[in-house]
Amino acid sequence: MLPSLADILVVGGGKAGSQLTASLRDEGFEGTIAIVGEEPLHPYDRPPLSKEYLGMGDVGGLLLRAEHFYLDSAIDIETATRIVSFDTAKHVATRSDGSEITYGELVLATGARPRKLRIPGADSEGVSPLRSVEDADRLKAILTARSDLVVIGGGFVGLEVAATAAISYGCKVTVMEALPRLLSRTALPETAAHIQRFHEALGVDVLLGAQAAEILSDNGRVTAVVTTEGQVIPADGVVYGIGVEPRVELAEAAGIEVANGVLVDSTLHSSADGVWAIGDCCAFPSVHFGGSVRLESVQNATDQARHLAGELFSGVRSAYTAVPWFWSDQGELHLQSVGLTGTFDSTVVIGDADSGSFTVLAFHDGRLLGGDSVNAPGDHLALKRLLGSDSQAGLTATVAGGAGFTLKDFARQARLAKEALSRSA
Amino acid sequence: MASTINGERISVLEDKCIGAGNCVDAAEKYFDQDDDTAKVVLLRDVVEPGDGDSVRRAVNVCPVAAILLNSSGA
């Protein structure tokens, strides 16, 4: 029988929800915990869906935690189950079968869904986003036939699929990006230019400023994509990655403030008493952004979950301030980014882009915002440590542009200086 | 909740590791990060008495489930 009580009810069985429950038990929380998720699988890892899993992986390798973990940890988990509403005054949530569950605290970890492609023919067979295991399995079948693939959207998901399709399956791949460059929302221009060259070297056609106007089909199955310029690109399969939309309907219906996500304060608490939000669905005030932001990343889901577990266990509210970071693997190209660099006004490249291993630093008014490291994990680690420190150790564009500058040496010296200071204090 | 895991053996899946560093925060006696690759470096692979909680926390905070615990002799 489904439980009718939970001290902590987590709505959404993804990375954030799973991490929250594990961290609550790590903290020593002894109350009842329930996770309710719509997907049939236990919580699984999404990043491999466009990479290893799409290449050759199996479902077993995707699970974040073995199924028995939840039983062993006394975490009640309900898969393939939907919460359809909740009452913030009564602290009662209702499942789709009408049964009710009374909660102490409710955590929204409902994630996001792919933004729909709204052009004629978008519902043809062989046209799909990539978000779930089902999407990946469908795409695998298309790629196995070594088909012509058109990717709509030059973001992380689209480019990862493009690389996997070209390398692991030998498909002919075309990437269409509506904006003048790839990854305009998530990577710096120098990084994006390098990634474009990398894809072109794989034989991927990259079309910039190209928008899909229509999808042609034969007997309901996709045959081509027509651009707004009238170009016809043959396609046996189409994958679109044009962004995601936070799943906020449940919160909205409960009267909770939503904008681009469930609005929370710096402690991740929503506008309703006892209701919190974490992960892809949550819009939170970020000290690294200087305003409300919604992030779609493993780091964000994991760190917000850990932070909230600490708050719920201790009963003491505190601000979430973790430094955001991201990664993307595209074949042999490994991109790691740290910080939110969207507002940059200058950049400094460290290393040589032609060598395939370099880092781009982003600054605003001389202040370091973060940077992208391509096949330079040591730089990424050093940068992450610098951004995590209060002062950023005074790393300016002038310092970074100096001859012989390396992030590793700079970070090491900054650490030594800090240790010396704390010894003398 | 705390179960005894003394004597259990720790292993890491280096291919999976994304260099988050969460394990180092949780149990720095057991985990470090390589300065060049950012990948996890296992400093000792057998859980010592009294360290069970911190090692289990490291396992549970890895965002990609790259740290494994196996009972010795199992």
Side-chain angles (χ1 to χ4, degrees):
Chain A
M1 210 185 90
L2 297 173
S4 56
L5 274 174
D7 293 319
I8 295 177
L9 172 61
V10 183
V11 184
K15 169 95 60 185
S18 175
Q19 183 66 54
L20 176 73
T21 62
S23 289
L24 277 168
R25 290 304 186 215
D26 276 348
E27 295 276 356
F29 182 80
E30 291 182 344
T32 51
I33 304 175
I35 312 181
V36 181
E38 290 181 21
E39 289 194 77
L41 285 179
H42 277 62
Y44 63 88
D45 206 14
R46 286 183 206 282
L49 294 180
S50 51
K51 312 178 186 85
E52 301 89 345
Y53 181 77
L54 191 60
M56 62 192 128
D58 63 289
V59 167
L62 287 180
L63 292 184
L64 289 166
R65 294 174 173 82
E67 292 187 8
H68 66 75
F69 168 84
Y70 302 94
L71 189 65
D72 295 349
S73 308
I75 295 163
D76 181 76
I77 185 156
E78 299 172 32
T79 55
T81 307
R82 212 154 64 87
I83 294 291
V84 291
S85 64
F86 61 97
D87 184 322
T88 59
K90 292 184 183 148
H91 281 226
V92 172
T94 306
R95 299 182 186 86
S96 52
D97 69 358
S99 63
E100 291 185 342
I101 179 163
T102 302
Y103 63 84
E105 308 284 329
L106 184 142
V107 180
L108 292 163
T110 48
R113 64 171 67 85
R115 186 168 291 140
K116 274 215 167 96
L117 182 65
R118 296 182 197 280
I119 56 173
D123 56 355
S124 306
E125 203 185 320
V127 180
S128 172
L130 177 55
R131 181 82 184 169
S132 65
V133 171
E134 291 78 29
D135 295 338
D137 289 342
R138 225 174 309 137
L139 183 55
K140 261 185 186 178
I142 294 171
L143 298 182
T144 306
R146 295 193 56 178
S147 324
D148 291 350
L149 180 73
V150 172
V151 174
I152 298 177
F156 282 148
V157 171
L159 291 170
E160 288 171 4
V161 170
T164 305
I167 296 167
S168 302
Y169 293 92
C171 294
K172 170 87 193 96
V173 183
T174 305
V175 174
M176 298 175 58
E177 167 55 50
L179 294 173
R181 71 167 174 97
L182 297 176
L183 297 168
S184 53
R185 204 169 58 92
T186 42
L188 294 162
E190 293 88 342
T191 316
H194 179 81
I195 290 177
Q196 183 176 344
R197 287 193 297 274
F198 173 83
H199 277 268
E200 285 166 348
L202 290 177
V204 173
D205 270 339
V206 178
L207 307 180
L208 299 178
Q211 244 177 308
E214 185 183 359
I215 288 174
L216 304 181
S217 61
D218 181 24
N219 273 327
R221 229 199 124 72
V222 59
T223 57
V225 178
V226 186
T227 71
T228 49
E229 311 266 278
Q231 189 184 350
V232 178
I233 308 165
D236 306 300
V238 173
V239 175
Y240 59 93
I242 51 175
V244 297
E245 289 164 353
R247 297 165 56 112
V248 297
E249 296 78 5
L250 194 58
E252 204 168 12
I256 290 170
E257 278 181 48
V258 303
N260 174 33
V262 179
L263 284 175
V264 295
D265 62 20
S266 65
T267 72
L268 308 177
H269 189 264
S270 80
S271 62
D273 180 49
V275 180
W276 311 73
I278 53 175
D280 285 11
C281 74
C282 147
F284 66 100
S286 167
V287 289
H288 306 283
F289 183 70
S292 178
V293 69
R294 193 177 60 76
L295 298 176
E296 300 145 14
S297 72
V298 164
Q299 173 275 326
N300 189 60
T302 309
D303 287 349
Q304 288 190 335
R306 292 165 67 194
H307 182 83
L308 181 55
E311 290 187 282
L312 292 176
F313 176 66
S314 66
V316 179
R317 287 170 63 166
S318 61
Y320 170 78
T321 58
V323 177
W325 54 267
F326 313 86
W327 87 94
S328 174
D329 292 338
Q330 299 165 33
E332 293 302 306
L333 187 147
H334 305 295
L335 169 66
Q336 296 166 293
S337 302
V338 59
L340 299 175
T341 57
T343 57
F344 74 97
D345 57 20
S346 70
T347 58
V348 174
V349 178
I350 298 168
D352 178 11
D354 290 337
S355 75
S357 167
F358 63 98
T359 289
V360 187
L361 297 179
F363 297 89
H364 181 85
D365 276 344
R367 203 178 72 88
L368 179 67
L369 297 172
D372 300 336
S373 299
V374 175
N375 292 345
D379 279 3
H380 173 68
L381 184 59
L383 199 52
K384 215 151 72 170
R385 288 174 177 161
L386 283 174
L387 275 174
S389 66
D390 301 335
S391 60
Q392 302 174 356
L395 180 55
T396 62
T398 315
V399 171
F405 175 85
T406 71
L407 276 166
K408 206 169 121 184
D409 290 342
F410 186 84
R412 188 186 303 130
Q413 277 156 23
R415 196 171 63 235
L416 291 176
K418 198 177 163 201
E419 279 166 15
L421 199 68
S422 65
R423 264 198 307 276
S424 67
Chain B
M1 281 315 301
S3 59
T4 306
I5 57 170
N6 296 339
E8 280 197 304
R9 199 163 283 276
I10 311 166
S11 57
V12 295
L13 304 170
E14 215 184 287
D15 281 353
K16 268 193 157 184
C17 176
I18 52 163
N22 294 357
C23 55
V24 185
D25 297 341
E28 61 178 3
K29 186 172 155 190
Y30 289 82
F31 305 97
D32 199 1
Q33 277 178 286
D34 185 288
D35 275 352
D36 292 317
T37 66
K39 297 251 184 201
V40 60
V41 176
L42 200 51
L43 301 176
R44 59 191 80 204
D45 64 359
V46 175
V47 182
E48 293 174 6
D51 292 344
D53 284 351
S54 65
V55 172
R56 197 183 49 243
R57 192 170 304 127
V59 171
N60 281 341
V61 294
C62 175
V64 291
I67 308 171
L68 305 175
L69 273 177
N70 300 301
S71 298
S72 52

